[in-house]
Amino acid sequence: MSQSRKKPKKSIATREETEVGLLGAILTKYAGAAGAVIPILQESQEALGCLRPQTIETLALGMGVPASQIYGVVTFYSQFRLMPIGKHLCKVCHGTACHVSGATEVGEAILDQLRVDEGGTTADGRFTVQSVACLGCCSLAPVMMIDEETHGRLTPDRARKLLREV
Amino acid sequence: MLPGAIMHVAGSYHAAGGNREGLIVVVGLGSCGIAAGGQKVRSALIEAIERRALPIQLRETGCVGMCYREVLVDVFDPQGKRFTYGNVTPERVERLATDHFESGRPVREWLVRSSEESLADDSFFAKQKRIVLRNCGIIDPESLAEYRARDGYQALEKALRRMQPEEVIQAVRDSGLRGRGGAGFPTGLKWQFARGAKGEKKYLICNGDEGDPGAFMDRSVLEGDPHTVIEGMLIAAYGIGADEGYLYVRAEYPLAVRRLRKAIADATMAGFLGEHIMGSMLTARGSEFSFQLHVKEGAGAFVCGEETALMASIEGQRGMPRLRPPFPATSGLWGKPTNINNVETYANIPWILLHGPQAFADLGTEKSKGSKVFALAGKIARGGLVEVPMGITIGEVIYEIGGGIKDGRAFKAVQMGGPSGGCIPASLADTMIDYESVTQTGAIMGSGGMVVLDETACMVEIARFFLDFTQKESCGKCTFCRIGTKRMLEILTRITQGQGQEGDIELLYDLADKVKTSSLCGLGQTAPNPVLTTLRYFREEYEAHIREKRCPAHYCRKLLVYRIDSDLCTGCTACARACPTQAISGVVKQPHLIDQARCIQCGSCVAKCRFDAVKTQ
């Protein structure tokens, strides 16, 4: 009795129920719009962090297409991920300008500092490190992005310092 | 003139503040400005201005192109004088506020440009001709009023009121404008095909999927002057008879997407987009003109820069190219006639209509008219965004605009056209920048990436870098592109690691030929170009790697021998502590020694040494 008073029933929706509700809202928003698969997936990932098999099943059902079709799109584009990522996403640019300005050394310093492999997530779940082709900030090379913030003119030491400050 | 808008005479550097009361201070907040710390500078400015209660207007603008000087802050005084400060940091703001804002004494040693005196950085602009970038770094990209104060939407008005759609197309044909995405197809002709195609419903697409590593022209235009692109698209839509369009932008450009969405909302509110554009006014063709514009964010696939792949992506499919014909002009998006141009192409259109096709055609060479935007990056002293008239030489861009090579090193080559292009050696610096001349070198004009390489760049490694990129980005549809690039990458990797064999060069040529001829789209057809051009101009570097197991540029680690110069070594032990294989031995304050048998050529010792004592051979 006392427990149920502390936690009213309406607030204990399971994660699955919350997720279905979220996805339903996104699907409704794009109902009838042609070619909406990619924006639907983008918004779903934005809301949930990644696209789990269950999420894809729900979306496929909602859109009335086979789940295999959704998987086809998800695995084609590098933006989509099937696994959750760490609290902070660190994107290390390996575009041409960054490459000739020492991005390899910066990338190695970051992986070394965080003790992860390329594309991996740290054991404490704080960081995921990704290599990306070009962030378009070539004149400030080498560059990395930590979440939404871009940092330019990096050296291995400066990159390590920035990570420590996050 | 609109109150508050910065009045500015096109092409001139002198601008007058609209507000005659006090100073106008403008912070450059393109992606590069933000990456260099622009937001922190802006916060410091706000704080300094508020604390002093100064009557100053603080504004924002996009990228003016001087990325090497970011963060940039412009100060306009009521007399119309302009002072541009470069390398501004939050720490420098206090002095700017005290000396310049409060006491009216510009801080001369921090000025990079000024309307009052000539400064060294003026040469960055001297040879430029800014058509596409005419507003970038000058107006607030989020202000429709400022765009309109610079003749914004007047070209659209001219087209709708005074020109038949056919006349619009003719004007673009007369201008000689060619597609700025890289291939250089005549824009007016493309529009003519779309106009002539059968069908009521037609689409217009703007390709903003700028994927070439080392290129950021479209990003800067979309972030710095989004209305220009929208206006160009509207004029094109009127010309070909399209009523719906898509702006496809890379997901990696969140700021561009945000500013575009705002620009579209503002233009719709003002009646430039949507139903019955520019009121219920009748157009020159005698009917009303409507145009709906949607922004589509890409999801990260380089191949989507190819037009048929891009359309598949808008339709919500995997972005895989298909065979042409049918060309998009007859059967494009959802099977309807579709015109597709890139960001820079559309951004030229308003200028062409306002100044006349002849003014555009007067610039450039016989077959390449107008100007071209380039992203200068790599080992260049003044990296940034430049717009030059066609026909200028590569050397002029690198030395006169870009200020030569960084750190006084020697110019070795310039990479043009990204993964589809090639490396043009320093000996061809006199090559004119036009579609045909650049193609003759084996590179391509491309979308405008220009990555400058100095003597420290290994050309085999550069080729490997690009093949690594194209191999990862191949969509997998064509066998030779999917597997051929993989085999080429394996060979190049082997060569850079000292495992090259006799016959590798011939094998690379053979594979390059097959990948080029057996691929459906531009990605595969051009993927071997970085290998072919480096083989053409730097074959001796490949041979040194293969036969002598030597990297002439001292770049490929596996081919280097690390030694400690005993005259320079102070015995600080930093290298020994950094060495992962304990290959370095020595006593404190005595020169150290590297055991070659244990050395894995990781380069950690070079990175750690503060005395430049670790040498490579």
Side-chain angles (χ1 to χ4, degrees), chain B residues 71-83:
Chain B
V71 177
L72 291 160
V73 172
D74 282 317
V75 181
F76 295 89
D77 76 5
Q79 286 77 45
K81 293 177 189 165
R82 177 176 175 176
F83 304 90

Side-chain angles (χ1 to χ4, degrees), chain B residues 40 73 122 146 172 212 227 234 294 313 405 430 473 503:
Chain B
K40 288 185 189 118
V73 172
D122 290 345
E146 289 194 17
V172 176
D212 283 9
H227 284 286
L234 279 159
H294 316 279
S313 180
I405 309 301
D430 288 339
E473 294 294 342

Side-chain angles (χ1 to χ4, degrees), chain A residues 34-39 42 69 71-73 75-80 91 94-97 99-101 104-105 108 133-141 143 145 148-153 156-158 160, chain B residues 31-32 35-36 40 67-68 70 213-216 219 250-251 253-254 296-301 303-304 313-320 334 377-379 383-384 451 453 461-462 465-466 469 475 555 557:
Chain A
V37 181
I38 293 172
Q42 283 168 332
Q69 199 178 316
Y71 270 108
V73 174
T75 53
F76 186 84
Y77 296 97
S78 61
Q79 190 187 25
F80 299 124
K91 293 184 197 164
H94 286 274
T96 322
H99 183 74
V100 300
S101 309
T104 313
E105 287 74 20
E108 284 172 357
C134 188
L135 293 170
C137 289
C138 311
S139 39
L140 298 173
V143 175
M145 259 178 112
E148 292 299 300
E149 203 169 338
T150 312
H151 305 273
R153 295 169 185 148
D157 279 340
R158 215 172 93 75
R160 284 192 204 101
Chain B
S31 278
C32 43
K40 288 185 189 118
C67 304
Y68 62 102
E70 293 287 1
F216 53 94
R219 173 180 67 71
R250 284 182 91 190
Y253 291 173
K296 275 271 178 184
E297 282 181 66
V303 71
C304 288
S313 180
I314 293 179
E315 292 173 5
Q317 302 164 27
R318 289 163 69 92
M320 290 165 92
W334 287 298
K379 298 299 177 77
V451 182
L453 307 173
E461 161 57 26
I462 293 290
F465 168 78
F466 280 111
F469 179 82
C475 80
Y555 184 90
R557 285 183 194 163

Side-chain angles (χ1 to χ4, degrees), chain B residues 126-442:
Chain B
K127 288 213 164 176
Q128 292 200 46
K129 173 70 192 168
R130 293 167 84 90
I131 293 175
V132 169
L133 303 179
R134 64 193 180 281
N135 294 327
C136 285
I138 292 166
I139 62 166
D140 178 349
E142 301 197 14
S143 163
L144 174 61
E146 289 194 17
Y147 179 65
R148 294 205 63 195
R150 302 255 302 156
D151 301 334
Y153 290 105
Q154 285 188 20
L156 174 68
E157 189 171 346
K158 181 180 177 184
L160 293 187
R161 287 188 206 252
R162 303 214 297 268
M163 296 169 87
Q164 294 293 331
E166 291 79 7
E167 290 174 302
V168 170
I169 293 178
Q170 193 57 46
V172 176
R173 289 192 71 169
D174 292 344
S175 75
L177 175 66
R178 294 169 66 175
R180 297 294 193 242
F185 191 81
T187 305
L189 196 59
K190 206 173 196 177
W191 291 12
Q192 182 121 42
F193 290 149
R195 169 145 201 95
K198 286 194 183 72
E200 274 296 296
K201 179 80 182 174
K202 288 175 187 172
Y203 288 103
L204 193 79
I205 297 175
C206 176
N207 183 348
D209 190 47
E210 183 172 58
D212 283 9
F216 53 94
M217 300 75 54
D218 295 350
R219 173 180 67 71
S220 294
V221 175
L222 292 171
E223 285 177 3
D225 194 11
H227 284 286
T228 291
V229 182
I230 296 171
E231 189 178 0
M233 288 187 78
L234 279 159
I235 294 165
Y238 174 69
I240 69 164
D243 66 354
E244 194 172 359
Y246 288 90
L247 247 156
Y248 188 95
V249 188
R250 284 182 91 190
E252 287 88 341
Y253 291 173
L255 184 63
V257 170
R258 193 168 63 73
R259 288 192 175 152
L260 266 176
R261 288 197 201 278
K262 176 159 195 327
I264 288 173
D266 291 348
T268 309
M269 280 287 285
F272 296 120
L273 260 175
E275 301 291 330
H276 316 306
I277 287 169
M278 303 188 84
S280 52
M281 167 200 81
L282 287 182
T283 62
R285 73 176 166 171
S287 62
E288 279 173 344
F289 173 58
S290 297
F291 187 66
Q292 306 292 337
L293 185 55
H294 316 279
V295 175
K296 275 271 178 184
E297 282 181 66
F302 174 70
V303 71
C304 288
E306 198 276 343
E307 58 185 20
T308 59
L310 188 150
M311 290 186 297
S313 180
I314 293 179
E315 292 173 5
Q317 302 164 27
R318 289 163 69 92
M320 290 165 92
R322 61 156 175 80
L323 194 66
R324 296 175 304 178
F327 286 94
T330 48
S331 176
L333 192 62
W334 287 298
K336 306 289 185 212
T338 302
N339 181 69
I340 175 162
N341 290 119
N342 94 322
V343 171
E344 191 184 335
T345 312
Y346 286 126
N348 273 297
I349 303 295
W351 192 94
I352 291 172
L353 253 62
L354 280 181
H355 296 81
Q358 194 53 47
F360 191 82
D362 285 345
L363 294 165
T365 62
E366 194 198 335
K367 287 182 176 168
S368 302
K369 303 295 189 190
S371 61
K372 175 80 193 84
V373 182
F374 287 100
L376 264 181
K379 298 299 177 77
I380 185 119
R382 300 197 293 211
L385 203 67
V386 304
E387 183 171 357
V388 290
M390 292 277 193
I392 197 171
T393 67
I394 290 172
E396 282 175 284
V397 173
I398 291 175
Y399 288 105
E400 293 176 40
I401 296 174
I405 309 301
K406 226 185 233 177
D407 306 328
R409 292 189 193 271
F411 171 37
K412 183 169 186 179
V414 58
Q415 209 286 336
M416 279 181 74
S420 305
C423 292
I424 301 173
S427 57
L428 295 180
D430 288 339
T431 305
M432 275 206 299
I433 293 178
D434 66 39
Y435 290 95
E436 283 71 26
S437 306
V438 176
T439 305
Q440 230 166 35
T441 66

Side-chain angles (χ1 to χ4, degrees), chain A residues 100, chain B residues 412 453-459 462 541 553 555:
Chain A
V100 300
Chain B
K412 183 169 186 179
L453 307 173
D454 68 10
E455 59 203 332
T456 61
C458 168
M459 303 315 279
I462 293 290
E541 285 195 29
Y555 184 90

